[in-house]
Amino acid sequence: MQNTLTIYHTNDIHSHFESWTRIVHHIKTAQKRMQDKEESVFYFDCGDFMDRANPLTEGTLGQGNTLLLNQAGTFAATIGNNEGITLTKDELDALYTKADFPVLAANIFNEQGVRPPWAKRSEVFTTKDGLMVGVTGVTIAFQAFYESLGWQVKDPFLLLPEIVAELKKTSDIVIVLSHLGLNFDERMAEEIEGIDVILGAHTHHVLPQGKEINGTLIAQTGKFGMYLGEVNVQYDTSTKKITSKSAELIDLFDEEEDREGLQLLNELMIKGETELKQEVGTLKNPLHISWYEPSPFAQLMADALKEWCQTAYSMINSGVILESLPAGPVTKGDLHRICPHPINPCLVDLTGDEIKEIVNASLSQEMIHREVKGFGFRGKVMGRMAFSGITAEEELLEDRQLHVRRIEMNGEPVKDEEIYRVAVIDMFTFGKLYPAIARNKNKTFMLPETLRDLLEWKLASMIG
């Protein structure tokens, strides 16, 4: 006799709750439909469920997100980088204190090499008819960030073979909740025997029917709850052997909303926004931001970055400030609205030649107007670079474009071979924005403070 295990899964919601109550309704409806049958319905989340760009998350430090997962009847979840490295160590330790589900994060440890109480290595669930489902979870190993926060994050490929082998002995099906990204999931399927299903995340891939490698089914749903993932595993009820498995994505456009979920979501939104009404002071004069021209607010942000990092030089793109601030009271909510990014300060050692390369690139019209997604950035365009301790003199040439004519470091001409310690932001260390920074090995990430914290710290000296 054949039976079916239905597995629903989400990934990279990033506190985008536009479809959340529809997701909850679909899962609960399926569970009710199977209530009097032998078939079971599980739901897992694969990390980055929270994002501090949302006031609900910021105001509750992610604990509101945990309550939403509870209400959805989550069976287990793993963490993504938004849970792992945008909260302080104490905040992450508190994130799941009210969780009704296990958090499977097998490769997270404290500084003593001990897995924290909230993180479990694996869990075995049992279906109504006795199918044993072994589940583990792993997250992307951003070593430098985790270490700055007081954690150790281990290479999941050093841990997974043993965990999977153990689960295979006690379980009929093995599932990995992976916040590693599709490339690593493919590698996992190729290298580690015994995994039946990988529920993926992090790279926001949309896999309409999943992807099968060496008998392992990989599924991923994109981002922001645009789809709900569904994996169906058929098995023989007498032998408990899998006979087939398939993946699909469910478009929730016509789905009803879960009323209880909507009520809880609204309550948590109000709670988050209320927390952010706390005043941090009063501005005597407005602070103006421009993404395309030099502006006082961008300069203040560059000065704050330099002063907080206790170095002589800094550079930051004006696009991180989304709005100007008028004169008058300033709240935590105001700072969150205008600077919502989970971006941290970073110190990097650069040669004079590298500084020339970065300054010239940063002041080009192409970079100023460049639209950016990811890297922690929640704005629209990069914007013009603002400097503190660095002066870039520009002149208008025949092509009617401004070009950098001269660069000075605290009033002295930049020296090509000299090493300068410059405060930047961690988004500059990713990808191809500024290769000289990305490839540099002498970087120090200044966590847990975000740019928002630096801005509040700097404004404290100006407001009363």
Side-chain angles (χ1 to χ4, degrees):
M1 181 180 172
Q2 297 284 310
N3 209 346
T4 301
L5 168 62
T6 299
I7 302 165
Y8 290 113
H9 60 103
T10 51
N11 61 269
D12 300 284
I13 296 291
H14 283 277
S15 294
H16 278 256
F17 299 124
E18 296 85 355
S19 299
W20 176 245
T21 55
R22 295 182 176 87
I23 288 173
V24 175
H25 183 269
H26 191 94
I27 295 169
K28 287 187 173 181
T29 300
Q31 289 173 334
K32 289 177 182 177
R33 192 168 60 245
M34 301 301 177
Q35 208 163 28
D36 299 323
K37 299 181 180 180
E38 281 295 298
E39 295 184 2
S40 297
V41 178
F42 291 178
Y43 165 57
F44 301 109
D45 181 75
C46 299
D48 276 5
F49 183 72
M50 60 162 274
D51 193 312
R52 293 184 66 172
N54 188 305
L56 182 158
T57 303
E58 178 71 4
T60 67
L61 291 175
Q63 294 182 38
N65 294 68
T66 299
L67 297 179
L68 291 172
L69 286 171
N70 283 346
Q71 198 268 333
T74 305
F75 269 61
T78 193
I79 69 168
N81 42 289
N82 271 270
E83 286 87 9
I85 62 175
T86 71
L87 297 171
T88 67
K89 191 171 187 292
D90 288 343
E91 289 165 353
L92 181 53
D93 275 335
L95 179 61
Y96 298 109
T97 52
K98 295 182 180 179
D100 295 336
F101 52 88
V103 179
L104 305 178
N107 62 325
I108 295 291
F109 301 84
N110 62 27
E111 289 176 304
Q112 289 73 43
V114 178
R115 195 174 285 113
W118 54 265
K120 296 193 67 175
R121 191 171 187 258
S122 61
E123 186 81 12
V124 177
F125 301 94
T126 307
T127 64
K128 296 174 185 177
D129 61 354
L131 185 77
M132 307 295 285
V133 183
V135 188
T136 187
V138 287
T139 196
I140 190 75
F142 287 148
Q143 300 279 3
F145 290 93
Y146 276 101
E147 288 173 5
S148 297
L149 289 165
W151 297 109
Q152 293 182 37
V153 58
K154 296 187 179 180
D155 182 346
F157 287 89
L158 298 178
L159 303 176
L160 279 171
E162 180 181 342
I163 296 172
V164 171
E166 290 178 1
L167 287 174
K168 203 66 181 174
K169 292 177 183 178
T170 58
S171 308
D172 302 304
I173 175 175
V174 175
I175 299 172
V176 178
L177 310 183
S178 165
H179 200 90
L180 303 182
L182 183 58
N183 290 341
F184 285 117
D185 291 345
E186 292 170 341
R187 177 186 163 192
M188 195 191 311
E190 290 168 354
E191 295 182 5
I192 302 174
E193 293 184 7
I195 302 173
D196 297 297
V197 178
I198 298 171
L199 303 178
H202 187 56
T203 47
H204 303 175
H205 279 86
V206 176
L207 303 178
Q209 282 83 44
K211 184 173 186 177
E212 190 159 341
I213 297 176
N214 287 345
T216 299
L217 178 64
I218 303 170
Q220 194 176 157
T221 70
K223 63 179 180 178
F224 301 167
M226 63 174 70
Y227 298 107
L228 172 64
E230 179 178 325
V231 170
N232 286 295
V233 180
Q234 285 77 39
Y235 56 95
D236 186 290
T237 55
S238 58
T239 65
K240 299 296 190 291
K241 299 293 184 183
I242 296 173
T243 56
S244 67
K245 48 185 182 278
S246 61
E248 64 176 301
L249 297 178
I250 301 168
D251 189 329
L252 299 154
F253 181 76
D254 293 324
E255 188 77 32
E256 292 182 32
E257 294 190 86
D258 181 75
R259 291 184 181 180
E260 291 179 359
L262 183 59
Q263 180 178 346
L264 177 61
L265 180 61
N266 289 336
E267 290 172 357
L268 291 170
M269 284 296 296
I270 292 170
K271 181 178 180 180
E273 290 169 354
T274 300
E275 290 292 328
L276 296 179
K277 288 180 179 178
Q278 180 183 339
E279 288 190 14
V280 298
T282 302
L283 273 179
K284 296 179 180 178
N285 300 300
L287 275 172
H288 172 67
I289 187 67
S290 171
W291 297 337
Y292 308 110
E293 304 290 341
S295 60
F297 207 165
Q299 188 58 53
L300 180 138
M301 193 73 244
D303 293 343
L305 181 63
K306 181 186 73 173
E307 293 164 17
W308 192 87
C309 291
Q310 297 181 3
T311 188
Y313 315 102
S314 71
M315 56 178 78
I316 187 169
N317 58 308
S318 59
V320 298
I321 303 296
L322 305 189
E323 299 176 24
S324 301
L325 274 179
V330 179
T331 66
K332 286 184 176 292
D334 292 328
L335 299 184
H336 179 261
R337 186 184 69 255
I338 67 170
C339 192
H341 334 276
I343 292 176
N344 308 100
C346 178
L347 281 168
V348 60
D349 292 335
L350 298 169
T351 66
D353 265 339
E354 289 173 327
I355 288 172
K356 287 180 179 179
E357 174 189 324
I358 295 163
V359 170
N360 278 283
S362 72
L363 295 180
S364 69
Q365 289 301 305
E366 179 184 2
M367 184 63 80
I368 291 172
H369 289 84
R370 182 171 178 170
E371 296 182 3
V372 179
K373 294 181 180 179
F375 311 123
F377 187 61
R378 303 294 185 256
K380 295 182 179 179
V381 297
M382 281 292 289
R384 181 184 174 89
M385 192 76 88
F387 306 100
S388 189
I390 303 172
T391 304
E393 295 181 8
E394 297 175 281
E395 63 179 341
L396 190 67
L397 297 183
E398 292 180 358
D399 61 2
R400 296 187 178 181
Q401 297 292 322
L402 286 170
H403 295 265
V404 177
R405 181 175 66 86
R406 177 183 174 87
I407 299 172
E408 292 183 346
M409 310 296 286
N410 278 336
E412 298 293 329
V414 62
K415 298 178 181 178
D416 293 348
E417 303 300 322
E418 188 163 330
I419 303 292
Y420 301 90
R421 174 148 282 201
V422 184
V424 295
I425 55 178
D426 61 22
M427 69 174 281
F428 292 172
T429 70
F430 303 126
K432 299 178 181 178
L433 290 172
Y434 297 109
I437 297 175
R439 65 175 177 254
N440 195 293
K441 295 182 180 179
N442 294 316
K443 295 188 283 278
T444 303
F445 295 100
M446 310 290 283
L447 279 70
E449 286 79 10
T450 65
L451 296 182
R452 200 158 51 250
D453 297 316
L454 269 64
L455 185 55
E456 183 175 343
W457 171 79
K458 180 63 175 176
L459 289 178
S461 64
M462 303 170 51
I463 58 186

